[in-house]
């Protein structure tokens, strides 16, 4: 076989494999079949919700355009580079799974970036108000340039309370205290309607 035919055959096979996986990953059960996250999927589809993923999943029923809440909505990698990294890692994991190496990683090898959140929530974090106008975190102009990641406060799979918009004070307070040294000294903790939106 001539080298260019082998290259074309390999490229065609790779394209078919990627297209197949991308079609299959539209179903969360496909992801869970290898990643063993049945408990996370159960939490995500729980009604009433128990975590931020539940709130996102429930939004699918109320969004006219369809709110495609599936594992890959957040875990897709952003941009061409991110998507390629996720696709290559997925292919490597799939090959290892087929070969019998089925150990589940204990941490995310490609952590979520802010882009995963901002592809849907960019408008929600473009604050243009002063502290005299609002206490809502994301609406304050002063907070727009903070060197923080979305996941510093928002943990999608951690259980929480809907009334606090799923924010956990033990995660949020240390972030606030980076600038506001007296945060929490009054004995209170953030409520959903005040400083955390």
């Amino acid at each position: 076989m001539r080298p260019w035919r082998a290259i074309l055959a390999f490229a065609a096979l790779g394209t078919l494999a990627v297209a197949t996986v991308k079609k299959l990953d539209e179903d969360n059960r496909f992801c869970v079949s290898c990643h063993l996250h049945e408990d996370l999927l159960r939490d995500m589809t729980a009604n009433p919700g128990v975590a931020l993923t539940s709130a996102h999943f429930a939004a699918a029923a109320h969004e006219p355009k369809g709110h495609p809440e599936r594992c890959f909505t957040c875990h897709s990698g952003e941009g061409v580079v991110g998507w390629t990294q996720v696709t290559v890692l997925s292919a490597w994991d799939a090959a290892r799974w087929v070969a019998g190496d089925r150990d589940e990683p204990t941490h995310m090898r490609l952590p979520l970036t802010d882009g995963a959140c901002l592809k849907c929530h960019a408008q929600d974090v473009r604050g243009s108000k002063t502290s005299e106008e609002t206490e809502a975190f994301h609406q304050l102009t002063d907070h727009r340039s903070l060197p923080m990641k979305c996941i510093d406060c928002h943990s999608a799979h951690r259980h929480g309370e809907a009334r606090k918009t799923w924010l956990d004070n033990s995660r949020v307070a240390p972030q606030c205290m980076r600038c506001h040294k007296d945060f929490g000294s009054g004995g209170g903790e953030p409520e959903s309607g005040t400083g955390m939106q």
Side-chain angles (χ1 to χ4, degrees):
M1 182 181 272
R2 293 185 178 171
W4 63 269
R5 286 186 180 172
I7 291 170
L8 283 177
F10 183 76
L13 183 60
T15 301
L16 179 63
V18 168
T20 300
V21 168
K22 293 307 170 193
K23 180 64 179 165
L24 291 171
D25 74 24
E26 292 176 6
D27 185 341
N28 290 325
R29 293 172 297 183
F30 171 72
C31 302
V32 170
S33 67
C34 294
H35 288 290
L36 312 176
H37 293 319
E38 291 90 353
D39 55 336
L40 298 180
L41 181 60
R42 191 170 33 259
D43 287 350
M44 183 170 123
T45 58
N47 186 8
V50 296
L52 187 58
T53 53
S54 314
H56 282 85
F57 189 80
H62 305 294
E63 294 279 336
K65 296 178 184 175
H67 196 271
E69 283 316 320
R70 57 190 206 264
C71 303
F72 205 70
T73 301
C74 297
H75 296 283
S76 61
E78 305 315 313
V80 173
V81 172
W83 184 88
T84 302
Q85 288 175 322
V86 168
T87 302
V88 168
L89 183 59
S90 297
W92 174 249
D93 285 347
R96 288 178 50 207
W97 188 88
V98 169
D101 181 9
R102 294 180 173 92
D103 290 332
E104 178 66 14
T106 57
H107 64 283
M108 286 182 58
R109 288 172 285 171
L110 295 173
L112 290 180
T113 64
D114 284 350
C117 305
L118 297 177
K119 65 186 172 190
C120 296
H121 295 287
Q123 293 300 321
D124 300 332
V125 297
R126 293 197 174 134
S128 60
K129 296 183 179 179
T130 66
S131 57
E132 287 78 32
E133 297 172 298
T134 185
E135 291 180 352
F137 179 86
H138 289 298
Q139 293 177 16
L140 286 165
T141 305
D142 291 346
H143 289 157
R144 288 178 70 174
S145 61
L146 290 177
M148 295 168 53
K149 297 176 185 170
C150 300
I151 61 171
D152 288 343
C153 293
H154 300 278
S155 179
H157 294 291
R158 192 177 212 170
H159 283 213
E161 297 178 54
R163 73 177 185 85
K164 292 184 179 180
T165 59
W166 312 105
L167 288 168
D168 178 354
N169 193 44
S170 68
R171 224 177 141 85
V172 175
Q175 301 307 321
C176 298
M177 290 171 61
R178 290 165 66 184
C179 298
H180 303 282
K181 304 300 182 201
D182 60 347
F183 181 83
S185 62
E189 65 179 48
E191 296 295 327
S192 64
T194 59
M196 295 298 117
Q197 294 180 353

